[in-house]
């Protein structure tokens, strides 16, 4: 289902977790807010350190049931530690292609994870099995080809970013997955599929501009060494991209718009 190269490249490097830990339902998965209420059951595939999963559990409360799934042992370990004894919240180390249970959920969600899978439609097909009749499958993902920086970032960062997309594509990942999800959801049997823009816009006038737009410097810091080792960029280019991009943020950078779509289907009753 997933070859060794795609599994290796999808693996989240250690230290990447601060990026995941900044996320909540409100700031990073707001498409879910309309569903969340006390007592709901939710299955979260590709939960990482479980930051969004915990935020979901805050809203479903002790009478809810929230299960986060991720194949990365160290992320699941952190997720368990941070969850403590929160009632109704659990994590399990498992892969989206092969995960199985007899349990069915009101809401199955998967954010920013299909972008790391070489066979996203097979993953969607497996996820759909766990949605209760009348329940929802809610996917959130990127089209990395549609990012907009104003003004253009430094040449070194553009080169790094293009190499990152090529490195992903060579492993079989779809850089434009957000725009292909609607058709995939139809293929796996959802008749009505709702698509909502969830762009993440960081503008210099927002207090979080530096942190949000720095995402790509963090990718160069944390994922970048994988690209250097695989021969996609030099170490000099990687370091220069970080320095010059940080300078862009501090001086001329005005905004960054990351293209994300929420694509959702309701299970037949
Ligand atoms: C970018 S993180 C997204 C984390 C979180 N959902 C969020 O939106 O912040 C992608 C996650 O997908 C997980 N992942 C990679 N391959 C997977 C697979 N085959 N099955 C399930 N999760 C996978 C990674 O371990 C990682 O935690």
């Amino acid at each position: 289902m997933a070859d060794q190269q795609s599994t290796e490249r999808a693996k989240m490097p250690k230290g990447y977790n601060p990026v995941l830990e900044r996320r909540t339902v409100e700031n990073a998965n707001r498409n879910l807010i309309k569903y969340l209420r006390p007592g709901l059951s939710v299955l979260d595939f590709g939960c990482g350190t479980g930051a969004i999963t915990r935020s979901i559990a805050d809203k479903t409360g002790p009478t809810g049931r929230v299960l986060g799934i991720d194949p990365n042992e160290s992320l699941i370990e952190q997720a368990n530690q941070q969850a403590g004894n929160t009632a109704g919240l659990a994590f399990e180390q498992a892969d989206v292609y092969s995960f199985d249970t007899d349990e069915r959920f009101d809401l199955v969600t998967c954010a920013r994870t299909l972008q790391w899978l070489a066979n996203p439609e097979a993953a969607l097909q497996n996820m759909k099995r766990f949605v209760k009749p009348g329940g929802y499958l809610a996917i959130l993902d990127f089209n990395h080809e549609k990012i907009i920086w104003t003004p253009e970032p430094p040449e070194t960062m553009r080169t790094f970013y293009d190499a990152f997309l090529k490195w992903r594509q060579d492993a079989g990942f779809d850089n434009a997955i957000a725009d292909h999800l609607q058709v995939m959801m139809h293929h796996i049997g959802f008749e009505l599929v709702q698509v909502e823009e969830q762009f993440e816009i960081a503008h210099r006038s927002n207090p979080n501009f530096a942190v949000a737009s720095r995402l790509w410097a963090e990718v160069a810091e944390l994922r970048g060494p994988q690209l250097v080792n695989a021969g996609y960029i030099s170490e000099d280019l990687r370091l220069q991209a970080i320095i010059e991009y940080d300078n862009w943020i501090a001086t001329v950078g005005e905004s960054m718009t990351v293209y994300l779509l929420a694509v959702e289907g309701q299970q037949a009753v």
Side-chain angles (χ1 to χ4, degrees):
M1 200 60 78
D3 67 19
Q4 206 185 346
Q5 187 185 60
S6 63
T7 306
E8 210 37 57
R9 290 194 183 177
K11 199 165 179 189
M12 185 132 293
K14 285 195 172 152
Y16 203 63
N17 312 350
V19 177
L20 303 187
E21 276 302 303
R22 287 200 288 272
R23 294 181 176 149
T24 62
V25 167
E26 283 82 3
N27 71 20
N29 224 163
R30 58 186 187 274
N31 59 305
L32 300 183
I33 292 173
K34 59 185 173 294
Y35 300 114
L36 298 176
R37 52 180 165 72
L40 205 77
S41 59
V42 184
L43 178 57
D44 181 15
F45 281 106
C47 63
T49 56
I52 293 174
T53 329
R54 291 198 301 279
S55 174
I56 292 171
D58 283 344
K59 290 170 178 55
T60 55
T63 58
R65 152 88 167 141
V66 180
L67 177 60
I69 299 293
D70 203 285
N72 186 312
E73 188 180 359
S74 90
L75 296 182
I76 287 293
E77 207 178 288
Q78 287 180 55
N80 272 321
Q81 271 166 14
Q82 276 149 182
N85 291 323
T86 309
L89 174 60
F91 293 94
E92 192 178 315
Q93 186 188 353
D95 188 285
V96 64
Y97 294 120
S98 54
F99 173 77
D100 199 12
T101 176
D102 290 335
E103 208 176 338
R104 297 295 177 259
F105 295 79
D106 298 306
L107 175 65
V108 176
T109 172
C110 181
R112 302 176 183 81
T113 295
L114 289 179
Q115 58 155 337
W116 289 110
L117 301 183
N119 196 344
E121 198 166 306
L124 283 170
Q125 210 143 23
N126 197 36
M127 288 186 222
K128 184 175 185 286
R129 295 171 49 225
F130 310 114
V131 185
K132 279 183 188 172
Y136 290 87
L137 176 61
I139 308 297
L140 179 71
D141 231 308
F142 297 98
N143 184 336
H144 291 297
E145 293 165 1
K146 291 187 173 173
I147 190 167
I148 299 172
W149 280 285
T150 308
E152 271 292 303
E155 195 55 39
T156 47
M157 177 48 84
R158 193 73 234 188
T159 305
F160 171 78
Y161 188 79
D162 292 345
F164 176 65
L165 296 202
K166 173 87 171 70
W167 171 83
R168 288 175 35 81
Q169 191 184 352
D170 290 349
F173 306 143
D174 182 354
N175 286 318
I177 180 101
D179 286 321
H180 301 147
L181 286 170
Q182 188 175 16
V183 168
M184 288 183 200
M185 293 282 271
H186 284 305
H187 281 170
I188 64 164
F190 286 106
E191 282 181 14
L192 279 179
V193 178
Q194 190 183 320
V195 180
E196 266 180 62
E197 287 182 359
Q198 300 283 302
F199 298 173
E200 289 181 348
I201 304 169
H203 195 272
R204 176 166 290 284
S205 59
N206 306 139
N208 74 338
F209 174 68
V211 171
S213 56
R214 203 169 186 280
L215 171 67
W216 296 107
E218 290 174 313
V219 172
E221 283 166 353
L222 300 156
R223 287 268 184 199
Q226 289 174 271
L227 275 77
V228 173
N229 289 338
Y232 282 74
I233 51 164
S234 70
E235 178 65 357
D236 280 356
L237 182 279
R238 181 181 83 86
L239 296 174
Q240 206 52 34
I242 296 167
I243 292 169
E244 291 182 9
Y245 187 64
D246 275 336
N247 187 48
W248 178 91
I249 295 170
T251 57
V252 296
E254 278 171 29
S255 68
M256 179 185 79
T257 302
V258 176
Y259 184 104
L260 275 162
L261 294 181
V263 182
E264 302 172 1
Q266 186 175 20
Q267 190 86 298
V269 179

